[in-house]
C-alpha cells in the first residue's frame, strides 16, 4: 500500500540521519570539548572578544564531528570566516540596521561561494560583524577570530591523528578506491557538482562510498552463488617435481595465465606465473632450465572455501590482486576461480535467478564459458 501524502510529510519531518556508532559519538564529543578548551585558552591569552565564542563553537563542531565535510576544511574555516567579517562591515556601510544584518548574511554567502570557502558559521560571523561594526574596526574582530580558528584547526588535526580519522580532507591520490573506479578526481568532482553535493562530500570520500556500495551490491546480487558454483573444476595444476619443459607444455596446451602447484593429496603449495617461466627460459644460467615447479612457484596462492558467496570475491579479482584463486574443500583444492570466470558470471548472470536455480541454471551458463581453453586460465 502506497503511503499517503500526510505520512510522507510526517516522515520528511523526522530524523534524516542514521544512528552513528557509539564510539564515534564519544570520540567526536571528547575532541570537540578539548578543542574548544584549547582554542578559548589561546584566545584568552591573546585578549579575544567574548562574542566570538558562539561562531567558534559552531566551527569546532564541524571540525570534530564532520571532519570529512568540505565545509569543515581549513580553507573553508579560515577564508570563509574572514570574508564574512568584511561582508558584515560592507553591509553596514550600505544600509542601516536591521537591514544590514540580512544583507551581511547574504553577502557573506556570495563571498564564501566565490572563494570556494563555504562555512556555515560564517553567517553568524557576518551578522556579528554587522552588529559590532558600529563600534569596532573590522580588524578588531578579524585578528582574535583568526587566532581562535587557527587554534581549533590545529587541535582538530592533532585529534584526528590520535584517533585514526582524516583531517584535513583525504587526498584522492592516496585513496585506492579512486583507482578502482577508474575515474579521475576531476570527474568525481563533476559528479558532486552535478548532484549538488560539493558542499557535503569530498571526491575521495565519494570514491570510497561508491566502491563500498559496489562491493555490497555485488554481494547482494550474487548472494545465491558460491565460489563452488562458479569455479573451473577440476583445476589444471602441476606437481612440485615437474620440470620446466613440462610446465611450458601445460601453459601452451591450456592457454592459462597461472598454474597452481599441488601435492599428491591436492593441497595447494603455490602458483607459477608466466613471468617465472620466461625468466627461466631466457636466463644465462643453464641450470635454471632444469628447475622444478617447486623452485619456480610463489608460495602465495589465494584460497577461499567452496561455500563462500562469490560476491565477496569480486572485489579482490577486480583489483590488481591475484589472477587466480584456489577453491578449497577442507585442505584440498577442488577448483580455481579466475577473472575469466568472473567476467563470464557478469555477462551471463540474470537478475531473476532464484536461489533454487543455483544447482542448474548458473552452473550450465558458466560451463558455456569454460568450453574454450581461455576459460580454464
Amino acid at each position: 500500500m502506497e503511503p499517503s501524502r500526510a505520512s510522507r510529510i510526517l516522515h520528511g519531518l523526522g530524523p534524516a540521519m542514521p544512528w552513528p556508532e557509539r564510539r564515534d559519538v564519544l570520540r567526536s564529543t571528547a575532541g570537540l570539548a578539548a578543542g574548544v578548551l584549547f582554542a578559548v585558552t589561546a584566545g584568552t591569552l591573546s585578549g579575544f572578544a567574548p562574542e566570538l565564542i558562539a561562531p567558534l563553537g559552531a566551527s569546532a563542531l564541524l571540525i570534530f564531528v564532520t571532519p570529512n565535510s568540505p565545509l569543515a576544511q581549513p580553507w573553508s574555516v579560515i577564508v570563509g570566516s574572514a570574508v564574512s567579517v568584511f561582508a558584515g562591515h560592507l553591509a553596514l556601510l550600505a544600509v542601516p540596521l536591521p537591514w544590514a544584518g540580512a544583507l551581511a548574511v547574504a553577502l557573506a554567502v556570495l563571498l564564501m561561494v566565490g572563494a570556494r570557502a563555504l562555512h556555515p558559521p560564517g553567517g553568524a560571523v557576518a551578522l556579528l560583524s554587522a552588529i559590532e561594526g558600529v563600534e569596532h574596526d573590522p580588524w578588531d574582530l578579524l585578528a582574535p577570530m583568526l587566532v581562535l580558528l587557527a587554534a581549533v584547526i590545529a587541535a582538530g588535526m592533532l585529534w584526528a591523528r590520535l584517533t585514526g580519522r582524516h583531517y584535513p580532507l583525504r587526498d584522492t591520490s592516496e585513496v585506492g578506491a579512486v583507482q578502482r573506479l577508474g575515474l579521475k578526481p576531476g570527474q568525481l568532482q563533476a559528479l558532486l557538482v552535478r548532484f549538488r553535493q560539493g558542499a557535503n562530500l569530498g571526491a575521495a570520500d565519494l570514491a570510497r562510498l561508491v566502491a563500498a556500495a559496489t562491493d555490497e551490491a555485488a554481494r547482494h546480487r550474487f548472494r545465491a552463488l558460491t565460489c563452488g558454483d562458479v569455479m573451473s573444476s577440476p583445476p589444471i595444476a602441476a606437481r612440485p617435481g615437474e620440470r620446466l619443459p613440462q610446465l611450458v607444455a601445460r601453459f601452451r596446451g591450456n592457454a592459462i595465465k597461472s598454474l597452481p602447484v599441488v601435492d599428491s593429496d591436492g593441497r595447494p603449495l603455490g602458483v607459477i606465473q608466466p613471468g617465472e617461466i620466461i625468466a627461466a627460459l631466457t636466463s644465462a644460467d643453464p641450470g635454471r632450465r632444469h628447475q622444478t615447479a617447486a623452485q619456480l612457484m610463489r608460495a602465495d596462492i589465494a584460497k577461499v572455501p567452496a561455500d563462500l558467496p562469490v560476491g565477496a570475491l569480486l572485489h579482490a579479482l577486480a583489483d590488481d590482486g591475484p589472477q587466480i584463486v584456489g577453491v578449497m574443500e577442507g585442505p584440498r583444492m577442488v577448483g580455481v576461480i579466475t577473472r575469466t570466470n568472473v567476467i563470464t558470471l557478469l555477462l551471463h548472470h540474470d537478475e531473476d535467478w532464484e536461489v533454487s536455480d543455483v544447482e542448474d541454471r548458473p552452473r550450465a551458463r558458466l560451463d558455456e564459458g569454460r568450453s574454450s581453453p581461455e576459460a580454464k586460465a
Side-chain angles (χ1 to χ4, degrees), residues 2 6 8 18-19 24 42 53 56 72 105 118 125 143 155-156 161 179 192 230 255 295 297 307 335 340 342 344 356:
E2 187 173 338
R8 289 197 300 268
W19 285 104
D24 287 337
I53 289 294
L56 171 70
V105 176
L118 190 62
V125 171
R161 193 173 189 86
Q179 285 74 37
L192 291 171
V230 303
Q295 294 171 310
M297 72 179 185
D307 59 356
T340 302
V342 172
T344 303
S356 59

mmCIF file of all heavy atoms in Angstrom, residues 2 6 8 18-19 24 42 53 56 72 105 118 125 143 155-156 161 179 192 230 255 295 297 307 335 340 342 344 356:
data_model
loop_
_atom_site.group_PDB
_atom_site.id
_atom_site.type_symbol
_atom_site.label_atom_id
_atom_site.label_comp_id
_atom_site.label_asym_id
_atom_site.label_seq_id
_atom_site.Cartn_x
_atom_site.Cartn_y
_atom_site.Cartn_z
ATOM 1 N N GLU A 2 0.588 2.140 -0.927
ATOM 2 C CA GLU A 2 1.405 3.350 -1.048
ATOM 3 C C GLU A 2 1.082 4.314 0.088
ATOM 4 O O GLU A 2 -0.086 4.546 0.414
ATOM 5 C CB GLU A 2 1.120 4.012 -2.396
ATOM 6 C CG GLU A 2 2.049 5.173 -2.684
ATOM 7 C CD GLU A 2 1.859 5.702 -4.094
ATOM 8 O OE1 GLU A 2 1.353 4.946 -4.942
ATOM 9 O OE2 GLU A 2 2.214 6.873 -4.324
ATOM 10 N N ALA A 6 0.121 12.690 3.706
ATOM 11 C CA ALA A 6 0.363 13.141 5.074
ATOM 12 C C ALA A 6 1.477 12.343 5.738
ATOM 13 O O ALA A 6 2.343 12.909 6.422
ATOM 14 C CB ALA A 6 -0.925 13.015 5.892
ATOM 15 N N ARG A 8 3.897 10.835 4.207
ATOM 16 C CA ARG A 8 5.173 11.215 3.579
ATOM 17 C C ARG A 8 5.701 12.514 4.162
ATOM 18 O O ARG A 8 6.896 12.672 4.374
ATOM 19 C CB ARG A 8 5.003 11.319 2.062
ATOM 20 C CG ARG A 8 4.814 9.991 1.355
ATOM 21 C CD ARG A 8 5.071 10.117 -0.142
ATOM 22 N NE ARG A 8 4.167 11.064 -0.769
ATOM 23 C CZ ARG A 8 3.000 10.740 -1.319
ATOM 24 N NH1 ARG A 8 2.593 9.474 -1.304
ATOM 25 N NH2 ARG A 8 2.241 11.647 -1.890
ATOM 26 N N PRO A 18 21.222 8.527 10.072
ATOM 27 C CA PRO A 18 21.232 7.210 10.718
ATOM 28 C C PRO A 18 21.878 7.303 12.100
ATOM 29 O O PRO A 18 22.562 8.289 12.422
ATOM 30 C CB PRO A 18 22.096 6.366 9.770
ATOM 31 C CG PRO A 18 23.016 7.361 9.125
ATOM 32 C CD PRO A 18 22.209 8.621 8.980
ATOM 33 N N TRP A 19 21.666 6.271 12.917
ATOM 34 C CA TRP A 19 22.308 6.242 14.233
ATOM 35 C C TRP A 19 23.810 6.061 14.046
ATOM 36 O O TRP A 19 24.243 5.121 13.386
ATOM 37 C CB TRP A 19 21.763 5.085 15.069
ATOM 38 C CG TRP A 19 20.393 5.328 15.620
ATOM 39 C CD1 TRP A 19 19.227 4.783 15.161
ATOM 40 C CD2 TRP A 19 20.049 6.168 16.715
ATOM 41 N NE1 TRP A 19 18.164 5.245 15.902
ATOM 42 C CE2 TRP A 19 18.640 6.086 16.880
ATOM 43 C CE3 TRP A 19 20.778 6.976 17.589
ATOM 44 C CZ2 TRP A 19 17.963 6.782 17.862
ATOM 45 C CZ3 TRP A 19 20.093 7.666 18.574
ATOM 46 C CH2 TRP A 19 18.716 7.572 18.705
ATOM 47 N N ASP A 24 32.123 6.608 17.756
ATOM 48 C CA ASP A 24 32.315 7.853 17.012
ATOM 49 C C ASP A 24 31.749 9.043 17.774
ATOM 50 O O ASP A 24 32.325 10.135 17.770
ATOM 51 C CB ASP A 24 31.657 7.752 15.636
ATOM 52 C CG ASP A 24 32.419 6.860 14.685
ATOM 53 O OD1 ASP A 24 33.632 6.667 14.913
ATOM 54 O OD2 ASP A 24 31.810 6.349 13.727
ATOM 55 N N ALA A 42 43.743 29.732 24.222
ATOM 56 C CA ALA A 42 44.623 30.523 23.352
ATOM 57 C C ALA A 42 44.052 31.911 23.126
ATOM 58 O O ALA A 42 44.786 32.914 23.110
ATOM 59 C CB ALA A 42 44.808 29.800 22.018
ATOM 60 N N ILE A 53 32.707 33.449 20.871
ATOM 61 C CA ILE A 53 32.542 32.084 21.361
ATOM 62 C C ILE A 53 31.507 31.320 20.537
ATOM 63 O O ILE A 53 31.693 30.153 20.212
ATOM 64 C CB ILE A 53 32.141 32.085 22.848
ATOM 65 C CG1 ILE A 53 33.324 32.529 23.701
ATOM 66 C CG2 ILE A 53 31.678 30.712 23.294
ATOM 67 C CD1 ILE A 53 34.483 31.557 23.666
ATOM 68 N N LEU A 56 32.700 30.280 17.081
ATOM 69 C CA LEU A 56 33.807 29.353 17.305
ATOM 70 C C LEU A 56 33.282 27.953 17.637
ATOM 71 O O LEU A 56 33.777 26.945 17.121
ATOM 72 C CB LEU A 56 34.696 29.845 18.442
ATOM 73 C CG LEU A 56 35.762 28.845 18.920
ATOM 74 C CD1 LEU A 56 36.829 28.663 17.869
ATOM 75 C CD2 LEU A 56 36.363 29.281 20.242
ATOM 76 N N ALA A 72 34.153 21.869 6.604
ATOM 77 C CA ALA A 72 34.973 21.902 7.809
ATOM 78 C C ALA A 72 36.466 22.006 7.526
ATOM 79 O O ALA A 72 37.269 22.003 8.465
ATOM 80 C CB ALA A 72 34.711 20.630 8.637
ATOM 81 N N VAL A 105 24.516 38.593 5.873
ATOM 82 C CA VAL A 105 24.488 37.129 5.713
ATOM 83 C C VAL A 105 24.452 36.759 4.229
ATOM 84 O O VAL A 105 25.169 35.856 3.777
ATOM 85 C CB VAL A 105 23.292 36.527 6.468
ATOM 86 C CG1 VAL A 105 23.202 35.028 6.216
ATOM 87 C CG2 VAL A 105 23.408 36.804 7.962
ATOM 88 N N LEU A 118 32.842 27.891 1.545
ATOM 89 C CA LEU A 118 31.567 27.935 2.256
ATOM 90 C C LEU A 118 31.726 27.326 3.649
ATOM 91 O O LEU A 118 32.188 26.194 3.804
ATOM 92 C CB LEU A 118 30.508 27.171 1.465
ATOM 93 C CG LEU A 118 29.063 27.323 1.951
ATOM 94 C CD1 LEU A 118 28.616 28.778 1.855
ATOM 95 C CD2 LEU A 118 28.128 26.422 1.139
ATOM 96 N N VAL A 125 29.134 34.902 11.826
ATOM 97 C CA VAL A 125 30.232 35.870 11.876
ATOM 98 C C VAL A 125 29.840 37.161 11.153
ATOM 99 O O VAL A 125 30.109 38.275 11.628
ATOM 100 C CB VAL A 125 31.502 35.267 11.251
ATOM 101 C CG1 VAL A 125 32.586 36.340 11.094
ATOM 102 C CG2 VAL A 125 32.023 34.116 12.093
ATOM 103 N N ALA A 143 41.276 39.759 13.792
ATOM 104 C CA ALA A 143 42.531 39.254 14.358
ATOM 105 C C ALA A 143 42.310 38.203 15.455
ATOM 106 O O ALA A 143 42.846 37.092 15.377
ATOM 107 C CB ALA A 143 43.370 40.414 14.877
ATOM 108 N N ALA A 155 44.034 21.869 16.824
ATOM 109 C CA ALA A 155 43.537 20.839 17.737
ATOM 110 C C ALA A 155 42.820 19.737 16.963
ATOM 111 O O ALA A 155 42.938 18.547 17.289
ATOM 112 C CB ALA A 155 42.604 21.463 18.769
ATOM 113 N N GLY A 156 42.069 20.116 15.933
ATOM 114 C CA GLY A 156 41.366 19.124 15.115
ATOM 115 C C GLY A 156 42.308 18.206 14.372
ATOM 116 O O GLY A 156 42.080 16.996 14.270
ATOM 117 N N ARG A 161 44.656 12.772 14.118
ATOM 118 C CA ARG A 161 45.839 11.902 14.055
ATOM 119 C C ARG A 161 45.843 10.903 15.209
ATOM 120 O O ARG A 161 46.221 9.742 15.040
ATOM 121 C CB ARG A 161 47.103 12.766 14.099
ATOM 122 C CG ARG A 161 48.372 12.018 13.725
ATOM 123 C CD ARG A 161 49.549 12.974 13.629
ATOM 124 N NE ARG A 161 50.715 12.323 13.073
ATOM 125 C CZ ARG A 161 50.975 12.208 11.792
ATOM 126 N NH1 ARG A 161 50.123 12.712 10.915
ATOM 127 N NH2 ARG A 161 52.061 11.592 11.353
ATOM 128 N N GLN A 179 41.294 4.675 -7.803
ATOM 129 C CA GLN A 179 41.849 3.878 -8.885
ATOM 130 C C GLN A 179 40.907 2.733 -9.266
ATOM 131 O O GLN A 179 40.788 2.379 -10.431
ATOM 132 C CB GLN A 179 43.218 3.313 -8.476
ATOM 133 C CG GLN A 179 44.356 4.331 -8.488
ATOM 134 C CD GLN A 179 44.281 5.291 -7.326
ATOM 135 O OE1 GLN A 179 43.912 4.904 -6.216
ATOM 136 N NE2 GLN A 179 44.625 6.552 -7.554
ATOM 137 N N LEU A 192 29.891 15.465 -8.139
ATOM 138 C CA LEU A 192 29.443 16.173 -6.939
ATOM 139 C C LEU A 192 28.724 17.464 -7.298
ATOM 140 O O LEU A 192 27.702 17.810 -6.695
ATOM 141 C CB LEU A 192 30.638 16.457 -6.031
ATOM 142 C CG LEU A 192 31.276 15.235 -5.354
ATOM 143 C CD1 LEU A 192 32.571 15.640 -4.656
ATOM 144 C CD2 LEU A 192 30.311 14.625 -4.350
ATOM 145 N N VAL A 230 30.849 -21.360 -9.292
ATOM 146 C CA VAL A 230 31.414 -20.684 -10.469
ATOM 147 C C VAL A 230 32.849 -21.119 -10.779
ATOM 148 O O VAL A 230 33.424 -20.662 -11.752
ATOM 149 C CB VAL A 230 31.377 -19.155 -10.286
ATOM 150 C CG1 VAL A 230 29.975 -18.674 -10.029
ATOM 151 C CG2 VAL A 230 32.294 -18.709 -9.160
ATOM 152 N N ALA A 255 46.340 -22.654 -22.510
ATOM 153 C CA ALA A 255 46.174 -21.194 -22.632
ATOM 154 C C ALA A 255 45.817 -20.564 -21.297
ATOM 155 O O ALA A 255 44.915 -19.736 -21.187
ATOM 156 C CB ALA A 255 45.117 -20.857 -23.679
ATOM 157 N N GLN A 295 60.609 -25.017 -7.384
ATOM 158 C CA GLN A 295 61.601 -23.942 -7.385
ATOM 159 C C GLN A 295 61.083 -22.672 -8.067
ATOM 160 O O GLN A 295 61.524 -21.572 -7.759
ATOM 161 C CB GLN A 295 62.879 -24.430 -8.081
ATOM 162 C CG GLN A 295 63.588 -25.542 -7.328
ATOM 163 C CD GLN A 295 64.719 -26.147 -8.140
ATOM 164 O OE1 GLN A 295 64.536 -26.508 -9.316
ATOM 165 N NE2 GLN A 295 65.904 -26.246 -7.537
ATOM 166 N N MET A 297 57.713 -21.750 -8.334
ATOM 167 C CA MET A 297 56.433 -21.236 -7.844
ATOM 168 C C MET A 297 56.619 -20.165 -6.772
ATOM 169 O O MET A 297 57.662 -20.069 -6.131
ATOM 170 C CB MET A 297 55.611 -22.391 -7.258
ATOM 171 C CG MET A 297 56.153 -22.908 -5.939
ATOM 172 S SD MET A 297 55.147 -24.253 -5.275
ATOM 173 C CE MET A 297 55.948 -24.503 -3.684
ATOM 174 N N ASP A 307 32.155 -22.801 -0.149
ATOM 175 C CA ASP A 307 30.833 -22.275 0.196
ATOM 176 C C ASP A 307 30.822 -20.766 0.406
ATOM 177 O O ASP A 307 29.801 -20.200 0.808
ATOM 178 C CB ASP A 307 30.293 -22.977 1.442
ATOM 179 C CG ASP A 307 31.215 -22.808 2.658
ATOM 180 O OD1 ASP A 307 32.301 -22.209 2.511
ATOM 181 O OD2 ASP A 307 30.845 -23.299 3.747
ATOM 182 N N GLY A 335 39.069 -26.677 -7.226
ATOM 183 C CA GLY A 335 38.832 -25.861 -8.406
ATOM 184 C C GLY A 335 39.536 -24.530 -8.282
ATOM 185 O O GLY A 335 40.195 -24.254 -7.278
ATOM 186 N N THR A 340 38.497 -14.617 -15.739
ATOM 187 C CA THR A 340 37.649 -15.082 -16.834
ATOM 188 C C THR A 340 36.343 -15.636 -16.301
ATOM 189 O O THR A 340 35.267 -15.387 -16.853
ATOM 190 C CB THR A 340 38.381 -16.162 -17.649
ATOM 191 O OG1 THR A 340 39.600 -15.623 -18.154
ATOM 192 C CG2 THR A 340 37.532 -16.641 -18.816
ATOM 193 N N VAL A 342 34.870 -14.724 -13.564
ATOM 194 C CA VAL A 342 34.086 -13.593 -13.077
ATOM 195 C C VAL A 342 33.447 -12.837 -14.233
ATOM 196 O O VAL A 342 32.275 -12.442 -14.171
ATOM 197 C CB VAL A 342 34.972 -12.653 -12.233
ATOM 198 C CG1 VAL A 342 34.225 -11.380 -11.879
ATOM 199 C CG2 VAL A 342 35.422 -13.365 -10.963
ATOM 200 N N THR A 344 32.639 -14.059 -17.143
ATOM 201 C CA THR A 344 31.562 -14.915 -17.630
ATOM 202 C C THR A 344 30.333 -14.800 -16.744
ATOM 203 O O THR A 344 29.198 -14.715 -17.227
ATOM 204 C CB THR A 344 32.032 -16.385 -17.670
ATOM 205 O OG1 THR A 344 33.184 -16.484 -18.492
ATOM 206 C CG2 THR A 344 30.940 -17.290 -18.218
ATOM 207 N N SER A 356 16.758 -21.338 -5.775
ATOM 208 C CA SER A 356 16.533 -22.722 -6.153
ATOM 209 C C SER A 356 17.143 -23.065 -7.486
ATOM 210 O O SER A 356 17.277 -24.234 -7.836
ATOM 211 C CB SER A 356 15.024 -22.993 -6.203
ATOM 212 O OG SER A 356 14.401 -22.131 -7.138
#
